[in-house]
Amino acid sequence: MTATVSIETLNAPPPRRRRTGPGKWTWLLLAVIAGILLVWEAAVSWLHLVPAAFLPPPTAVLASFLELLVDPEFWQAFAFSMQNLLIGLVLAVVVGVAVGLAVGWSPVLRFTVAPFLWLLYSTPKVALAPLFILVLGLGNESKIALVFLLAVFPIILNTMEGAVTVPASLVNASRVYGVNGLALGWKVILPATLPYSLAGIQRGAALGFTGEVLGEFLGGTGGLGHMLEFAAYQFQMDEAIAMVIVMVIIANLTLTLISVLRKRLAPWYDDRQIMGRS
Amino acid sequence: MTTPTAERDEPAASAPLISVRDLTVSYHVARTGATLTAVEGVNLDVHEGEFVTVLGPSGCGKTTVMNVVAGLVAPTSGEVLVDGRPVTGPGPDRAVVFQDYALLPWRTVFDNVKFGLEMQKHLKGDGWRDRVQEAIELVGLSGFENSYPKELSGGMQQRVGLARAIVAEPRILLMDEPLGAVDALTREVMRDEIEKLIAATGKTVLFITHSIEEAILLGDRIVVFKSHPGAIKEVIETKLARPRSERSVQSDPRFLELRDHLWDALQAEATEAAVAGGS
Ligand SMILES: Nc1ncnc2c1ncn2[C@@H]1O[C@H](COP(=O)(O)OP(=O)(O)OP(=O)(O)O)[C@@H](O)[C@H]1O
Ligand SMILES: [Mg+2]
C-alpha cells in the first residue's frame, strides 16, 4: 500500500460531506433562543407577571447552574447516573445486537420471536418502573435494569431490520469467495447491519437516559434525577430548572457522541438513508 | 459460410470442464405462491480453455444458468457437472463477476478486491498484496485503491468486481455482463485486456453480454437464449482468427455475417417476447 499513498494524494477522493447550510440555521436558532430568554427575563424580573418563586428568571437559573458546576454533590450525582447509564447501555448493546442479528438472520426466529419483540417494544415500559424499584431496591440495580429495558428494544429491532435487509447479492458474493458461517457473520452481516444498530443505539441511549432519571425520580438514593426531585421538593425552582438543563445537555451530548461514532464506524453509509428511522 | 481461419486449439476430444445437462430451474415466488420456470431443458458443454459468450433477451434466464454453474442456485431438475463432479455449492475453482457488482460498501477498492482471496488460507506473507495491486491495475483503477464503492461510477464499481474475480485465479470465470455499465472506450480497452488475460492464462469463461459485437469479438462460441420459457435457441462457433481487434474484424465478412445473423435472431426473440409479454 505504500506505493499507493502518493497516488492517493493526487487523486484525493472528494470530501464525504459538504458543509453548507448548518451555519445559517445555527444563528437563527441562537437568535430565537436569545429572544425567548429575553421575554422570559422581562416577564419575571421587570414586569413581575409571574412570581419568581414559581418561575425564576434566566439569570437566577444561570446562577444556580454555575453553582451546580462547583458543587461536589452534583458531580457525585452525575457520576452515579452516568455509571448506571453506561452499564445499562453496554448490556443493552451486547444483548440487543446479538439478539437482533440472530432473529434477523434466522427465518425461524423471525417468525416466532419477532412478533413478541414488537409487542414488548410498544408496551409502555415506563409503567414498570415502580415494579423494578420494588423488586430490585432503591440502589443501582433497579436503575441499570430500567436503562437496559428501555434501551434494548430499539437496538434489537433496528439490528434485526438491518440484518433482514442485507442484500442477497452480498451473501452470494461471499459464498462464491468461500466466506461462510462465522466469517460471513463477522465480515458481511455485522458490518452491513452496523449503521442500523448504531441508529438503534442512539435511540436506545436517549430512552435509557430517560429510564435512569425516572428510576431515580421515583425512588432513589442518588443521581441527577434524585437531585432534581429534591430541589423541586424544596421548591428551589432555579436549581430544578438548572438540573433539567443539565439533563438536556447530557442527553444531547450522548446523541452527538453516537452520531460521531456512527460517522467514524460507518463512513460508507449515507445518513440520509436511515434518517427518520426509529 | 466462409472457411474458418486460424482457430485456438480446441481440446475437443477431452471431457468438458462444464457440463450443463437438461437443466431446468423454477423459482417459487413466495409472495404469489406461483412457480416460475426460468429456464427449461438447457444443455451445454464448455471445454477447458474455451470462451463462451451468452446472448439473449432480458429475463430469459442467463443469470439463472450462471448461478447454477456458480453453485448459488440449485437445479430444479437436471444437473451441472464441473470437472465431472456435480455442483453442490460454490468453490474456489469458480469466480463470479456479478451483474449488480455486489461490492461490500464498507470496504475500499483494495479491500474489496482482496475479498476475492480472503479465504485462500495458503496465502501467507505479503505476496497477496502484489496480486491485489496487479488486478487493480489490470482493470485500470490504480489510484482509487482507497476509495469506497459509493465514490465510484457504476462502470468503475463493475471493474472492481472484475478485479475481485480475477485475483482469485479461478479455473472458471463466470462473468455476468461485466462491461455492461462501462463506457464505450473503456469497454474496448477492458475487452482487449480480458481477451489477453484469458489467452495468457487459459481460463474457461462463461460471459453474458447484451452486446452482439462483444459476443462475437470475445467468444469461441456464442450461445443464444430465447425466452418463454428460457432455453438455448442456438449455439454458433465464431471461427474468427485471434487476436480480434474491433478494427480488423469490422471488414471481415465472417464477422458481418455473424452480426447480421445474431441481430436477426435476437430481433425475432425480442418481438416474440414483447408479444408474449403483452398478451
Ligand atoms: N430469485 C428469484 N425469484 C423469482 N424469480 C426469479 C428470481 N431470479 C430470477 N427470477 C426470474 O427468472 C427469470 C430469469 O431471470 P434471470 O435473472 O436469469 O434473467 P437474465 O437472462 O439474466 O436477464 P437480464 O438480461 O435482464 O439480466 C426472470 O423471469 C426472473 O423474473
Ligand atoms: Mg441477468
Side-chain angles (χ1 to χ4, degrees), chain B residues 51-55 66 162 173-179 187 191 194 205-210 214-215 218:
Chain B
F51 199 126
V52 172
T53 50
V54 179
L55 272 174
M66 186 170 276
L162 185 58
L173 262 174
L174 304 169
M175 302 204 247
D176 198 349
E177 295 184 40
L179 304 179
R187 203 180 169 114
R191 195 181 50 223
I194 290 175
V205 184
L206 208 54
F207 186 106
I208 299 175
T209 175
H210 270 142
E214 206 163 87
L218 284 172

Side-chain angles (χ1 to χ4, degrees), chain B residues 27-36:
Chain B
Y27 289 109
H28 182 73
V29 186
R31 192 172 48 81
T32 57
T35 305
L36 187 143

Side-chain angles (χ1 to χ4, degrees), chain A residues 1 4 7-8 11 13-14 16 169-170 172-179 183 187-188 191-192 267-270, chain B residues 71-72 90 95-96 98 100 102-106 110 115-116 118-119 129 133 143 145-146 148 150-151 164-165:
Chain A
M1 288 276 266
T4 66
I7 303 167
E8 210 257 336
N11 288 315
R16 241 165 243 141
S169 67
L170 288 191
N172 277 343
S174 307
R175 291 175 59 203
V176 161
Y177 295 108
V179 179
K187 289 174 188 231
V188 181
W268 70 89
Y269 206 84
D270 197 339
Chain B
L72 294 171
V96 181
F98 291 90
D100 56 358
L103 303 179
L104 306 178
W106 53 89
F110 188 92
F115 196 66
E118 200 110 333
M119 290 289 137
R129 289 187 165 277
Q133 196 60 46
E145 289 86 350
N146 297 318
Y148 285 97
K150 75 163 186 187
E151 296 165 351
R164 177 175 67 182

Side-chain angles (χ1 to χ4, degrees), chain B residues 27 29 36 38 56-65 99 176-177 210:
Chain B
Y27 289 109
V29 186
L36 187 143
S58 187
C60 65
K62 307 181 292 293
T63 300
T64 300
V65 171
Q99 191 170 8
D176 198 349
E177 295 184 40
H210 270 142

Side-chain angles (χ1 to χ4, degrees), chain A residues 83-96:
Chain A
Q83 190 195 333
N84 290 344
L85 181 63
L86 200 69
I87 295 175
L89 276 184
V90 168
L91 288 174
V93 168
V94 172
V95 172

